[in-house]
């Protein structure tokens, strides 16, 4: 049996931009991506703490040490600059492997989105 488990989580980051006229995705500071073990093109779930929206898209890297969290394309309509998000990536693994798996959890500075 295989199960879906949390692989990576970036907890409580602030939206820095929303670009409706960009091809869809979420731009994430590459430092945050590395810390959370998330790769370019990976599917992520976005949970908006401000309005309850949940959506899925793929990741593109943003400039390092920028704190950038920008929702692009249609996803831009689901956020406002300053909203607080939780970003989650999942993995599929064997049940026994999942019992011992430890996800990468990142808790950036809530004001700057930078790693403290």
């Amino acid at each position: 049996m295989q199960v879906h488990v949390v692989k990576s989580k970036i907890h409580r980051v602030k939206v820095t931009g929303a670009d409706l006229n960009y091809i869809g995705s979420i731009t994430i500071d590459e430092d945050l991506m590395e810390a959370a073990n998330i790769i370019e093109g990976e599917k992520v779930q976005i949970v908006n703490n401000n309005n309850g929206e949940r959506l899925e898209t793929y990741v593109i890297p943003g400039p390092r040490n920028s704190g950038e969290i920008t929702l692009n394309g249609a996803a831009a309509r689901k956020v406002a600059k300053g909203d607080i998000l939780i970003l989650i990536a999942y993995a599929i693994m064997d049940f026994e492997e999942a019992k011992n798996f430890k996800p990468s959890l990142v808790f950036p500075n809530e004001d700057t989105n930078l790693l403290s």
Side-chain angles (χ1 to χ4, degrees), residues 86-102:
I86 299 171
L87 311 176
I88 309 163
Y90 299 91
I92 300 171
M93 58 184 69
D94 290 326
F95 185 75
E96 291 302 318
E97 178 186 10
K99 287 181 180 180
N100 296 312
F101 178 77
K102 301 291 183 226

Side-chain angles (χ1 to χ4, degrees), residues 32-84:
L32 293 175
M33 289 174 58
E34 281 184 4
N37 197 28
I38 294 173
I39 60 170
E40 183 174 358
E42 186 167 357
K43 180 172 130 179
V44 291
Q45 180 181 41
I46 300 165
V47 180
N48 187 327
N49 281 5
N50 292 77
N51 63 20
E53 290 282 356
R54 289 177 173 255
L55 61 116
E56 293 179 338
T57 191
Y58 63 93
V59 174
I60 59 173
R64 287 185 179 280
N65 202 37
S66 65
E68 182 176 358
I69 301 292
T70 300
L71 278 291
N72 304 303
R77 294 199 182 274
K78 303 291 188 178
V79 300
K81 188 173 178 180
D83 282 359
I84 301 297

